DNA sequence: AATGAATGAGCGTTCATTCAT
DNA sequence: GATGAATGAACGCTCATTCAT
């Protein structure tokens, strides 16, 4: 899918310099933001010279683009896979989509956070490119909502609003999740899906056949 | 020998110029972020020299702090007022809180967005201060949730998670809302409250007395 | 004529900072060339910080442009004035043009040398602009040659070649002239004019009316 | 332990790659100047890696030195040969010298241009060396002028000035000559010699014995 | 013969900030 | 209130060069 401009790396070493730089970029930009992260800090963190960073990436923006492309690609793949495995029921599909999205945003919260918040730091051309990827990704959520509305499984809520609300609440996970937290990823993901599906309010007692 | 060093009474208050600077800051920082906004741009937008900006604000960080304090104060006031007017019912209170929060994030989306995303651009001391304000503000939402749980009006969902989900979805409004959009603020706010309370899923038919 | 982007300076001080920077630029670029002259050297020579240079000139290229525009403007003015004062005779006009051109290239040899050799260091847009000025300037020499050919005062030599030869030989003065040399500017200028008009070869004896 | 450090036999000689590098250097430095030509561009033009350039030349300065030495050697040889073949007459000798110099500056204009303009880009030691070659080369022209003065064939014009004017006008050919131009090399060369010998001005009618 | 990877120095430029006027 | 002029630090980036392979 997304073109990546990294050089091929010798297999077997999991910590090639390019990868170390990538990790430093992700961590620093997550903590301070794109513009407040200097390549001098990146180099220092990796333990190399600034000029050496430029052997592996052609520019600072290309580093951010690498984050964008890797992240969007991996997120898209995971979500598509989980949704596909969930069958045809909109409720199951939405639960799967939320599960994939939320766990990704927790497990790879730094990259996901960057992908969600640093779009504006890209130049127009790159921004358009990435925005296109995001739009295609979000279209999958839209399709599930649409399907739910049409099948009568979902209440008729403004689709755009529902999408924004859902993504807004799920994306935020990347901002607060800590691996050492008291909840498992599955707990978080299923709570989110449950909340979005059923709301927080206690529903009145149901009389009649079980659903 | 040393010229007396005058500093303005209260940062950013009083004169028309201060207000113009404030507006320029808000707009530019909303569009590009704190670190990618230079005081040269701010001054140019206002039509004054860079040095003149320093008559009105002692530092760039103080400008961001002004946004933080104004915004948090006004948001807090509005939300507290609307919640107080809503009576004692947790559902009504939560609906009021969401209404206040969402309409504020739409009407003053630039400031609200900055308050939500630029905390990390503050120095530790200032950051702690603002974080305290935010915590106190969010505690109001927590209290409503707590009240709903205890009174049996809300399902027993992890409180922290519910809070994060609610704020995440409501804060995002500042990122996408446009005044020229097709929905009124009240529509957006009530849809959000409804969504958070009842979820998107169609509930089974209820037999029995109306609620 | 040429737009200059310098700020107006308080009259009376002959050594305003902008002027000191200009002089440092001219000297350093004359000695080492545009690309081998760093703004750090310029600043050091003037005794200010690098950043201060940028208060007076927006970019390195703008500094070279200032040299180009000042120099071409002054050279054009001087030559036009001297040629106009020479009357209608092509020999007198060419002598005057050579005089103006050569003395300018000697007196302000650094600037003239830069104007002659650093065109290629400008960006395409600026280069085109300056090249236009030069073309207009050289057209004056062409016109004199043309007039001489048509009036029968000059031998029919390829006009383009004659122009190139003349300017090539005169421009070079900026490369070797030293104020401490043994010849006066007028001696140099009149020798050049004489050489170009009559050549180095001894002409056969003339019998008949004096010319 | 230490790998033996091989260095090429003679800088830039022998292999085809060396020659390709030489040509790339000449073209790029002619177009942009020594300091604005990077070895990255050179390598890219040749289609090799930067490090590979260093197998063929020990340094960037050595590349320029190769241009200087090849060019001065070839120019000197050609001019000496043509002058020697011209016999004893100063007019014939000067015509021959101009012919050799001008045609060389046209045919190998890039190298000749570099040899004429990039002396200052060499370090003092190398500069002195090349300057010596140039001085010896120009001494041949001086000798011809001297001979012309003493024999009465040339008018008594300041010798240094005449030399500078002659070389200035002839060197410039490298800056404007294009192979596709309308004039042949011989036309250009003979026009230049004629111009320098007889000037542009029409001489009065000669009465008396033919010369 | 060639190259992947690295380096230290330096580049032009911009930054937030200061201060006398 | 406002500004012209300056500053020190840092920025992203490129340079010629090295060296083990």
């Amino acid at each position: 899918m997304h073109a990546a401009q990294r050089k091929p790396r010798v297999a077997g070493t999991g910590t090639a310099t390019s990868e170390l730089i990538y990790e430093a970029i992700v961590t620093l930009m997550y903590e301070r933001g794109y513009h407040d992260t200097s390549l001098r800090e990146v180099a220092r963190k990796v333990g190399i010279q600034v000029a050496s960073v430029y052997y592996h990436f052609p520019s600072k923006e290309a580093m951010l683009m690498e984050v964008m492309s890797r992240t969007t690609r991996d997120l898209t793949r995971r979500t598509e896979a989980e949704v596909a495995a969930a069958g045809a029921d909109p409720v199951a599909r939405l639960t799967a989509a939320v599960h994939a999205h939320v766990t990704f945003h927790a497990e790879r919260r730094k990259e996901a956070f960057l992908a969600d918040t640093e779009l504006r730091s890209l130049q127009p051309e790159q921004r358009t490119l990435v925005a296109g990827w995001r739009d295609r990704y979000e279209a999958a959520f839209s399709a599930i909502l649409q399907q739910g509305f049409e099948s009568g499984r979902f209440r008729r809520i403004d689709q755009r609003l529902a999408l924004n609300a859902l993504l807004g609440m799920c994306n935020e996970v990347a901002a607060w999740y800590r691996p050492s937290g008291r909840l498992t990823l599955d707990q978080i993901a299923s709570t989110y899906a449950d909340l979005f599906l059923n709301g927080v309010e206690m529903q009145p007692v149901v009389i009649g056949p079980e659903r």
Side-chain angles (χ1 to χ4, degrees), chain A:
Chain A
M1 185 184 176
H2 321 128
Q5 52 250 76
R6 282 164 310 124
K7 308 213 157 34
R9 196 99 359 249
V10 179
T13 79
T15 51
T17 303
S18 294
E19 215 50 43
L20 293 176
I21 295 172
Y22 181 84
E23 286 161 19
I25 289 164
V26 165
T27 297
L28 287 168
M29 290 191 181
Y30 173 73
E31 287 168 359
R32 316 147 101 81
Y34 177 79
H35 283 106
D36 198 31
T37 297
S38 87
L39 299 190
R40 279 161 178 80
E41 287 175 276
V42 171
R44 195 179 319 125
K45 193 172 182 100
V46 177
I48 58 178
Q49 295 293 320
V50 191
S52 305
V53 173
Y54 278 86
Y55 182 79
H56 300 275
F57 293 89
S59 70
K60 188 182 179 185
E61 193 183 20
M63 300 172 203
L64 180 54
M65 272 303 281
E66 177 67 15
V67 178
M68 295 290 186
S69 68
R70 274 202 211 188
T71 304
T72 310
R73 186 194 56 212
D74 293 352
L75 173 60
T76 301
R77 281 186 188 161
R78 180 190 296 198
T79 303
E80 281 176 355
E82 295 200 21
V83 168
D89 178 38
V91 170
R93 288 175 77 85
L94 192 129
T95 302
V98 168
H99 182 270
H101 191 88
V102 164
T103 55
F104 187 93
H105 272 68
E107 288 171 6
R108 295 174 60 179
R109 66 197 162 94
K110 296 176 187 173
E111 290 164 285
F113 183 81
L114 289 172
D116 288 338
T117 59
E118 295 287 7
L119 234 197
R120 69 174 169 197
S121 300
L122 294 169
Q123 298 279 84
E125 201 178 338
Q126 312 288 316
R127 180 160 58 234
T128 303
L129 190 61
V130 177
W133 302 340
R134 294 300 292 196
D135 286 348
R136 276 196 287 289
Y137 174 72
E138 295 182 0
F141 283 79
S142 266
I144 296 172
L145 289 176
Q146 177 75 18
Q147 183 197 3
F149 295 146
E150 290 173 354
S151 64
R153 294 297 311 269
F154 293 168
R155 296 160 57 217
R156 283 264 168 212
I157 286 172
D158 183 274
Q159 189 169 337
R160 185 79 230 167
L161 240 47
L163 179 67
N164 287 342
L166 177 58
L167 292 175
M169 106 192 194
C170 291
N171 288 344
E172 201 85 348
V173 171
W176 57 258
Y177 177 78
R178 289 295 175 277
S180 56
R182 74 204 138 81
L183 300 170
T184 67
L185 287 186
D186 284 342
Q187 286 173 324
I188 295 170
S190 64
T191 301
Y192 267 65
D194 173 43
L195 200 47
F196 185 74
L197 284 165
N198 302 307
V200 74
E201 191 174 4
M202 187 71 74
Q203 300 301 323
V205 179
V206 171
I207 310 241
E210 309 284 309
R211 59 170 173 123

